[in-house]
Amino acid sequence: MLPLLTCLSIAACGSDSADSPTPPTPPVEAPELKADICYLIVTTKGDMTLAIDLTNVPVTGQNFKTYADSGFYQETLFHRTISNFMVQGGGLTTGLVSKPGNDPIINEASVGISNSRGTIAMARTNDPNSATSQFFINVLDNPQLDASASNDGYAVFGQVVAGMDIADQISIVATHTTGGRQNVPVDEIVINSLTEISCPVN
């Protein structure tokens, strides 16, 4: 199953396992996001700079780095956009064709970094340990996506450090339902390239 949004969460249409473990409680004080490596993402809507945290969320950060460094994201789409929520991409190509990814990774949402505006997190199915290549950018604060005692959450692994206005523009494009998918941009939004760059100096 592809990681897709349903209702108020970022999950696929599937059943929760009856014997799934209790979600871990996140730490009381979450670490600050690190900018260990940065990427320029060039899209047909404009450019954004992403800072990726390899320190606090090493599995998730390295997973994104592996996809990015291999050129996997080139010519994939931002295929799902919801105004005042998020924009999602990284797993489908033109015509909404699924691009096979690597093995799924463990969910590091329990680290406690919040899904605040501008952060980047992994999309997944109802299985908390199902994320592969798809990611989303929060365009508003979305604490309902954070890990808690009753919620596995969605692992934040980076943030947009330049070009957040582009994410905002992507989030408000005209969308439709097609091929059984909702909130699909009418005009495809393509990731032309995603390349490593020097991180901006604060």
Side-chain angles (χ1 to χ4, degrees):
M1 285 187 295
L2 289 175
L4 300 172
L5 284 160
T6 61
C7 300
L8 298 178
S9 65
I10 300 175
C13 298
S15 300
D16 289 314
S17 173
D19 57 357
S20 59
T22 301
T25 302
V28 174
E29 185 174 346
E32 289 188 11
L33 273 168
K34 303 289 186 183
D36 293 314
I37 189 169
C38 291
Y39 291 93
L40 177 67
I41 180 170
V42 177
T43 81
T44 49
K45 275 290 186 182
D47 303 348
M48 294 175 278
T49 300
L50 315 179
I52 306 305
D53 188 333
L54 303 174
T55 302
N56 297 304
V57 279
V59 173
T60 313
Q62 183 60 51
N63 177 69
F64 183 86
K65 182 179 185 300
T66 297
Y67 282 113
D69 292 351
S70 71
F72 179 92
Y73 290 122
Q74 185 170 336
E75 303 304 319
T76 60
L77 306 175
F78 276 103
H79 65 271
R80 196 166 179 85
T81 70
I82 299 180
S83 180
N84 293 322
F85 187 22
M86 60 91 242
V87 299
Q88 180 177 342
L92 304 179
T93 59
T94 294
L96 300 178
V97 176
S98 297
K99 187 171 185 177
N102 301 327
D103 290 339
I105 59 172
I106 62 168
N107 185 356
E108 294 182 300
S110 61
V111 167
I113 302 172
S114 184
N115 282 269
S116 56
R117 171 173 162 78
T119 57
I120 312 162
M122 293 306 298
R124 59 171 176 78
T125 67
N126 286 340
D127 178 353
N129 301 311
S130 61
T132 55
S133 66
Q134 291 192 34
F135 62 92
F136 62 94
I137 300 171
N138 290 290
V139 297
L140 289 184
D141 291 345
N142 290 312
Q144 73 276 16
L145 302 182
D146 296 347
S148 67
S150 59
N151 182 13
D152 290 295
Y154 295 80
V156 172
F157 64 93
Q159 60 187 326
V160 177
V161 293
M164 190 59 196
D165 59 316
I166 302 302
D168 290 335
Q169 291 175 34
I170 293 172
S171 75
I172 59 173
V173 298
T175 62
H176 62 159
T177 297
T178 181
R181 298 181 184 277
Q182 298 178 331
N183 309 113
V184 177
V186 173
D187 297 318
E188 289 189 339
I189 302 169
V190 181
I191 297 174
N192 293 323
S193 62
L194 201 159
T195 53
E196 183 179 349
I197 60 172
S198 298
C199 290
V201 178
N202 291 333

